Amino acid sequence: MQAQAGAPSRTLHTMTLLCCWELWLHRHEVVFRHRAPNLRRLLTSCRDAAELWSCRLPASQRSDIDHWRNLFIM
């Protein structure tokens, strides 16, 4: 995978995993808790998770989170 122009490529894999995990959790809610699919709810959970995951990144990469969080705003 390649990051789009201007996106920080050093955290691309982390953000990809984050989005896959959040998508799986969203699907779980839809299938097993009978919640309606909702793109806004999914993007909000991705944005919030990116904020939480930022503490797991090395200090030199934490500023990348701002870029990724902005992608999840609707």
Side-chain angles (χ1 to χ4, degrees):
M1 287 190 337
Q2 293 179 335
Q4 64 186 117
S9 60
R10 62 187 177 181
T11 52
L12 176 63
H13 295 297
T14 301
M15 290 300 108
T16 301
L17 288 172
L18 176 142
C19 290
C20 289
W21 177 249
E22 290 301 319
L23 182 60
W24 186 89
L25 291 175
H26 185 77
R27 181 187 174 278
H28 186 284
E29 286 183 342
V30 170
V31 172
F32 296 109
R33 296 189 178 161
H34 308 291
R35 292 191 72 183
N38 185 301
L39 181 59
R40 184 177 302 262
R41 189 173 74 235
L42 174 60
L43 293 176
T44 299
S45 68
C46 287
R47 187 188 68 226
D48 294 346
E51 180 86 24
L52 291 173
W53 282 30
S54 67
C55 68
R56 302 273 183 197
L57 295 173
S60 62
Q61 296 178 7
R62 289 185 187 152
S63 62
D64 293 359
I65 293 301
D66 292 332
H67 175 82
W68 296 113
R69 285 181 57 232
N70 289 333
L71 293 177
F72 301 123
I73 295 174
M74 280 187 75

